[in-house]
Amino acid sequence: MRFGDAINIEDLRAIAKRRLPRFVFAYVDGGAEDERTLVANREAFARLRFRPRTLVDVSNRAVSARLLGAPSALPVVVGPTGLNGLSWRDGDLALARAASKAGVPFAMSTVSMSLVEDIARDAPGRHWLQAYVFAERRITEAILGRARDAGFECAILTSDFPVTGKRERDLRTGLLPAQQFTLATKLDMLAHPRWLATVATRRPRFVNIERELPPGTDVNAFVGHSMFDPSFCWDDVKRFRDRWPRKLLLKGVLRADDAERALAAGIDGLVLSNHGGRQLDGAISALDALPEVARAVGGRASILVDGGVRRGSDIAKAVALGAEGVLLGRAPVYGLAAGGEAGVAHALAILADELDRTLALTGCTSVSGLSQDLVEQA
Ligand SMILES: Cc1cc2nc3c(=O)[nH]c(=O)nc-3n(C[C@H](O)[C@H](O)[C@H](O)COP(=O)(O)O)c2cc1C
């Protein structure tokens, strides 16, 4: 199957699986430990059922929305994912271009393989920067400063990464802990000549981090050993708040009391997230946390959710429960691996079409019409 023939996100996932070497697909697709949270993210959407309104005139519908106070073609952000350059050459740029052409924001990861300046120049649109807080704070601050200068409108501090989750698929391929690939992984790379010729010939690097390190530093070793700061806590959030002049989101919140702390620290919005089931296995899904957090926040900040969004109807469910919109993690990356920028565009078009149908079938003409009474727990 070609990516253009994919009729849903699962089809794109199947193509990605075929095209990518096993270690890359495992990195994109996998979760932590027993992958219970990875599964729970999908189950949370499946458990929520619609209570559709009938006989509503739905001949004119709009899937557009407002995210962080500005218009977006869909209530969707292409969320931050690292190492996209392994799925497709210049993968970050392909994601950013497809997002910008689809009229939705692109959130770039700190561990991306394109420069913030290149994204701003080559993919004009709404750009957000996800920031990991490094033990060497200076590096995080320098990357944020460059994103500010490049016109990024929002920074996202990821809070659920004091250590890397135990991702057993990556441990088996050798990607973790330090890219010491097993013989089987190396042979499997050789069995993917197209990937070798397009991706591996120009080894993707963490260019944004590399630029802030002394010349000659091994950036992969730096990322492996000294990257994430387990002492990152609420006082640091306040410091970032004081220094970053634009919108600031906190990603990784799953509780109402943490949402309150985030508001007290001056955060503009929350991304309810368990990192796509890649960190704490056994964590609840963001969708399950949403009603409690939405009640506590009471409209004082934007709420976005992520984890397990594979259907337009999933987007509708999250909005009905009180989210402004969703972040997509794997869905666009499956599209990327299946067909580059056009594959990402196809993934976004599939979700837009499904969301539009869901609006019509639930008796809504707009995203803002998706109210809580339209869903119930099964
Ligand atoms: C391959 C991959 C890489 C990711 N890299 C990052 C990252 O660099 N920073 C971050 O905050 N979240 C990262 N995430 C988490 C996503 O932003 C998002 O929270 C999660 O993927 C949502 O779940 P979904 O993939 O089921 O949509 C990554 C997720 C995946 C799948």
Side-chain angles (χ1 to χ4, degrees), residues 80-82 109 130 132 158 251 275-276 278 306-308 310 329-330:
T81 49
S109 163
Q130 176 269 327
Y132 280 127
T158 296
K251 173 173 181 280
H275 214 106
R278 301 160 75 82
D306 75 17
R310 304 287 182 272
R330 295 177 181 84

Side-chain angles (χ1 to χ4, degrees), residues 55-373:
L55 290 179
V56 179
D57 177 356
V58 289
S59 40
N60 291 309
R61 302 180 299 280
V63 290
S64 56
R66 292 186 77 76
L67 296 177
L68 300 189
S72 178
L74 295 167
V76 158
V77 179
V78 172
T81 49
L83 278 62
N84 294 316
L86 291 179
S87 290
W88 194 268
R89 187 166 183 152
D90 295 327
D92 298 291
L93 209 49
L95 282 163
R97 284 204 180 113
S100 111
K101 286 178 190 163
V104 301
F106 169 66
M108 174 170 166
S109 163
T110 321
V111 285
S112 64
M113 293 167 157
S114 296
L115 289 169
V116 288
E117 292 82 1
D118 291 349
I119 295 288
R121 191 190 57 236
D122 296 339
R126 295 183 68 183
H127 301 134
W128 303 0
L129 180 80
Q130 176 269 327
Y132 280 127
V133 176
F134 299 151
E136 270 191 70
R137 298 289 152 91
R138 163 190 82 72
I139 295 175
T140 305
E141 282 166 13
I143 298 172
L144 279 169
R146 283 173 35 218
R148 184 199 55 223
D149 294 347
F152 279 49
E153 67 171 69
C154 166
I156 308 172
L157 293 175
T158 296
S159 65
D160 56 13
F161 218 108
V163 298
T164 309
K166 187 171 176 237
R167 302 184 192 163
E168 299 187 358
R169 295 202 218 180
D170 296 339
L171 291 168
R172 285 187 211 291
T173 62
L175 179 70
L176 288 177
Q179 298 183 28
Q180 300 286 323
F181 294 117
T182 60
L183 179 63
T185 300
K186 288 178 186 159
L187 291 175
D188 180 63
M189 286 185 215
L190 293 176
H192 289 81
R194 191 166 39 183
W195 179 87
L196 275 178
T198 54
V199 171
T201 43
R202 210 177 55 197
R203 191 173 174 220
R205 307 189 323 268
F206 301 115
V207 283
N208 288 296
I209 302 168
E210 196 172 59
R211 192 170 261 212
E212 305 307 328
L213 297 173
T217 310
D218 179 348
V219 65
N220 288 339
F222 172 83
V223 169
H225 298 123
S226 42
M227 189 150 110
F228 307 108
D229 185 357
S231 76
F232 173 45
C233 62
W234 290 107
D235 288 341
D236 300 296
V237 173
K238 292 194 186 107
R239 266 195 295 279
F240 279 105
R241 171 69 289 178
D242 292 342
R243 286 178 196 175
W244 173 259
R246 302 192 187 130
K247 300 268 183 187
L248 186 64
L249 302 184
L250 193 64
K251 173 173 181 280
V253 170
L254 289 170
R255 303 166 50 107
D257 52 359
D258 279 346
E260 285 290 355
R261 279 199 194 95
L263 290 186
I267 288 287
D268 300 296
L270 302 164
V271 182
L272 309 188
S273 175
N274 55 36
H275 214 106
R278 301 160 75 82
Q279 287 294 98
L280 174 65
D281 196 29
I284 61 169
S285 73
L287 196 75
D288 285 338
L290 176 58
E292 169 191 319
V293 174
R295 249 192 324 275
V297 169
R300 289 176 291 159
S302 297
I303 302 178
L304 300 162
V305 300
D306 75 17
V309 176
R310 304 287 182 272
R311 291 279 185 189
S313 58
D314 298 338
I315 303 168
K317 287 174 180 174
V319 172
L321 282 186
E324 237 174 61
V326 302
L327 263 65
L328 304 172
R330 295 177 181 84
V333 179
Y334 293 141
L336 177 71
E341 180 186 331
V344 182
H346 194 62
L348 293 173
I350 286 171
L351 292 172
D353 169 68
E354 289 176 353
L355 175 61
D356 177 60
R357 285 170 201 272
T358 305
L359 287 183
L361 293 170
T362 53
C364 293
T365 55
S366 68
V367 169
S368 60
L370 288 161
S371 50
Q372 204 170 342
D373 58 290

